């Protein structure tokens, strides 16, 4: 019953759609009375089943049993689609289609539209439908009868009167029928609006990153959203039906609620206390069903246009982060602000010339990078730094040239030069490269790696930057924390973020996590000692935030504190970014503070077969991911340049964060 992506070992592609496939396979078994890929009475191994699953889909349901209803076949085929994107979004969506089949409603996987809705309504309401059909027949009979009687008016006056009476009844019935038909059409349009609303949310989630190339898509999305909220008149010339507005949907909802059963005493008491009615009960099950659908639609449309949290006019809110309007405005202005405007162009001209002439960059020719603004060369490292506009305000330099980090400061990228370095550590031969008496087996063999230039954040991502992306702060030690007299704020690193979350939001911002090789190359910054500060642990003093006396004074009882009993870094947990001295590349807190997620899958033996240029360990089929750098509750040995720690993609730890990276655009 496993999905094709699971069978192929593509664990990064597993999602609720994989569960949908499994349920679809069970449905296949029920419908055909045989397991997928296995013929009746056939005795085969699991390996053979797996091979058949990888080879292609099972036999079609109808080729095995001809009597299976087409709707169930469509549900099964959609659930078992080889392409996960073509399956139901999740098991709830699959359940809704199955429920629709059982309740004689339209099955989305099979067919949609007003005609299908009408046919299903007839199946659910056979007595009423029969009455309407009878009324229509009466109308036809009445018309024919009236024409016949008109030619015989002089002979059959009495019969004429009777016929006229029947005609009047038929006309009234026809009017009622027309109203019912219009009502059903409105109901179908309401269902269509709900589907359009769901599609709109899915489209919004895909409209990343906020790039000028996406401007037409943003404009189309906003137009569709406004039409869904404001409605539209019919345009018969172009074959466009009328669309009800939010106001009309709310009016219809009010009509249905007028049919609800009386409130209970508890509900009336809640209403008297200023609350809204929470439950609605109906004697007619169909009215209750439509009430639920319309309530969901109205709530969704209200949320869509919410001025604070809505995707149309809102700001930054969960779960979507930036509203589409914010992304649209950023995409419209980012080119002018970052590369095309006079001020931006002047900065880029200066930066490009200086970088090309700098011996640190070896003649690197850099093009203007959309979304980045040059800040200038760091006075200590000589490497150039750039402000990332989408994550906050550009950093400014103080009087002595150091950057000032505030809560609203965006990511600062350092342009890391290309070069070669020896990656890893070994403890067997003091005369060989990267000797480290504390090295672990997963840090070997030491191997030479060639690195292309790339951007790496000068600091760990701050809580403020994460909040500006996602509208939430998952950190255990946030702005409300006050430990040992030190009040935290949003300049502290974000923690309790999963690898999966980091990947999702970095991709939305057109950023990335650094590879292991990028991280270690940048951390070492030309050194080959256990720490960039040197081979002696004492070289770290005043440069690193680890388990220490300050943590013990704040109530921490980590055993690692005993490893360096006289260390005093001043922080119980993590410190604000930029607190400690930067390494030779101008990167702060590369050792300690919080662990940093990397792009790679964790493979303890990857170094023995690592590519020589820009290596990245694949994630396919790999359970864990890599973290680097050590945290505030670690000993110095756990924060060495070569240390590799594994962690599951969904894991959240109060000592783990991230340091964004970005590739150079051509």
């Amino acid at each position: 019953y496993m999905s094709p992506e699971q069978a192929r070992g593509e664990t990064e592609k597993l999602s609720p759609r994989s569960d949908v496939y499994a349920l679809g396979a069970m449905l296949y078994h029920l419908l055909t009375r045989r397991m997928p890929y296995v013929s009746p009475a056939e005795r085969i191994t699991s390996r053979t089943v797996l091979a058949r699953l990888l080879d292609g889909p099972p036999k079609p349901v109808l080729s095995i049993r001809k009597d299976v209803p087409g709707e169930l076949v469509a549900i099964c085929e959609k659930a078992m689609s080889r392409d996960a994107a073509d399956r139901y979004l999740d098991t709830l969506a699959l359940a809704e289609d199955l429920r629709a089949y059982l309740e004689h409603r339209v099955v989305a996987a099979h067919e949609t539209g007003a005609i299908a809705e009408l046919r299903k309504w007839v199946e659910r309401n056979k007595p009423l439908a029969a009455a309407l059909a009878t009324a229509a027949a009466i109308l036809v009979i009445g018309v024919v009868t009236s024409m016949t009687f008109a030619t015989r008016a002089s002979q059959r006056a009495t019969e004429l009167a009777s016929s006229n009476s029947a005609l009047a009844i038929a006309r009234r019935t026809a009017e009622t029928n027309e109203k019912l038909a219009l009502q059903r059409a409105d109901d179908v349009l309401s269902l269509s609006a709900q589907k359009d609303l769901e599609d709109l949310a899915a489209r919004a989630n895909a409209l990343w990153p906020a790039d000028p190339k996406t401007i037409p898509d943003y404009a189309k999305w906003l137009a569709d959203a406004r039409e869904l909220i404001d409605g539209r008149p019919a345009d018969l010339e172009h074959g466009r039906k009328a669309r009800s507005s939010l106001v009309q949907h709310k009016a219809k909802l009010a009509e249905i609620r007028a049919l609800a059963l009386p409130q209970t005493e508890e509900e009336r008491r809640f209403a008297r206390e200023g609350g809204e009615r929470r439950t609605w009960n109906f004697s007619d099950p169909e009215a209750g069903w439509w009430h639920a659908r319309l309530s969901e639609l109205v709530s969704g449309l209200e949320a869509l246009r919410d001025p604070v949290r809505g995707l149309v006019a809102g700001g930054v809110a969960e779960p979507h982060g930036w509203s589409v309007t914010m992304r649209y405005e950023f995409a419209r202005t980012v080119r002018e602000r970052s590369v095309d405007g006079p001020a931006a162009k002047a900065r880029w001209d200066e930066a490009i010339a200086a970088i090309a002439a700098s011996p640190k960059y070896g003649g690197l020719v850099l093009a203007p990078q959309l979304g980045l603004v040059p800040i200038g060369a760091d006075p200590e490292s000589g490497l150039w730094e750039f402000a990332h506009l989408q994550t906050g305000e550009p950093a400014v330099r103080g009087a002595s040239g150091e950057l000032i980090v505030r809560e609203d400061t965006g990511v600062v990228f350092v342009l890391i030069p290309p070069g070669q370095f020896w990656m890893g550590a070994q403890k067997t031969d003091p005369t060989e490269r990267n000797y480290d008496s504390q090295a672990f087996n997963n840090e070997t063999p030491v191997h030479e790696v060639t690195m292309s230039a790339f951007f790496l954040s000068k600091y760990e991502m701050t809580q403020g930057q994460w909040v500006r992306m996602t509208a939430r702060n998952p950190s255990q030690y946030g702005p409300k924390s006050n430990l040992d007299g030190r009040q935290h704020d949003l300049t502290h690193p974000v923690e309790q973020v999963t690898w999966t979350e980091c990947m999702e939001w970095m991709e939305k911002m057109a950023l990335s996590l650094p590879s292991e090789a990028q991280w270690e190359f940048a951390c070492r910054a030309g050194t080959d000692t256990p720490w960039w500060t040197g081979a002696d642990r004492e070289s770290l003093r005043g440069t690193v935030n680890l388990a220490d006396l300050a943590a013990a004074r704040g109530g921490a009882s980590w055993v690692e504190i005993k490893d360096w009993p006289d260390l005093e870094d001043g922080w119980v947990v993590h410190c604000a970014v930029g607190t400690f001295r930067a390494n030779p590349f101008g990167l702060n807190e590369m050792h300690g503070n919080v662990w940093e997620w990397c792009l790679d899958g964790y493979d303890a033996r990857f170094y023995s077969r690592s590519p020589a240029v820009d290596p990245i360990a694949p994630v396919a089929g790999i359970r864990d991911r890599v973290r680097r750098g050590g945290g505030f509750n670690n000993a110095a040995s756990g924060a060495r340049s070569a240390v590799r720690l594994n962690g599951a993609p969904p894991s959240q730890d109060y000592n783990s964060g991230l340091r964004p990276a970005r590739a150079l655009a051509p």
Side-chain angles (χ1 to χ4, degrees), residues 5 40 109 147 199 225 230 274 368 418-419 450 529 597 600:
E5 59 270 19
M147 293 176 63
D199 291 344
D230 300 334
T450 298
T529 48
W597 285 111
D600 309 57

Side-chain angles (χ1 to χ4, degrees), residues 1-5 17-29 31-32 34-37 53 56-61 72-84 86-88 94:
Y1 298 123
M2 72 170 63
S3 64
E5 59 270 19
R17 296 178 191 265
S18 304
D19 298 329
V20 167
Y21 183 94
L23 290 177
M26 295 176 194
L27 177 60
Y28 180 99
H29 194 164
L31 297 177
T32 63
R34 55 192 274 188
M35 290 184 290
Y37 308 105
L53 169 59
K59 292 182 179 179
V61 171
L72 288 178
V73 173
I75 292 173
C76 183
E77 290 178 346
K78 181 175 178 67
M80 292 186 69
S81 173
R82 304 288 292 179
D83 188 344
D86 293 333
R87 297 175 204 151
Y88 291 98
L94 170 59

Side-chain angles (χ1 to χ4, degrees), residues 277-399:
R277 183 169 178 175
R278 293 173 293 179
T279 57
W280 300 84
N281 298 308
F282 299 84
S283 58
D284 179 6
E286 185 173 347
W289 188 87
W290 279 109
H291 177 267
R293 302 287 81 73
L294 271 174
S295 296
E296 184 180 2
L297 174 60
V298 168
S299 176
L301 291 175
E302 290 281 19
L304 188 67
R305 71 168 186 174
D306 186 278
V308 177
R309 303 178 59 82
L311 274 168
V312 173
V316 185
E318 294 188 84
H320 48 70
W322 285 33
S323 70
V324 175
T325 298
M326 279 188 66
R327 297 177 225 170
Y328 179 48
E329 290 303 317
F330 183 84
R332 287 177 58 252
T333 60
V334 64
R335 185 171 293 282
E336 176 74 13
R337 293 171 58 199
S338 63
V339 295
D340 286 348
K345 190 175 184 305
R347 288 188 177 189
W348 275 109
D349 288 344
E350 177 190 3
I352 290 169
I355 290 167
S358 170
K360 291 182 177 293
Y361 289 106
L364 176 66
V365 177
L366 184 68
Q369 306 287 301
L370 186 70
L372 300 184
V373 174
I375 298 175
D378 179 81
E380 295 292 328
S381 69
L383 298 184
W384 272 75
E385 297 170 336
F386 302 80
H388 182 253
L389 298 181
Q390 198 167 1
T391 49
E393 294 297 316
V396 295
R397 296 198 183 277

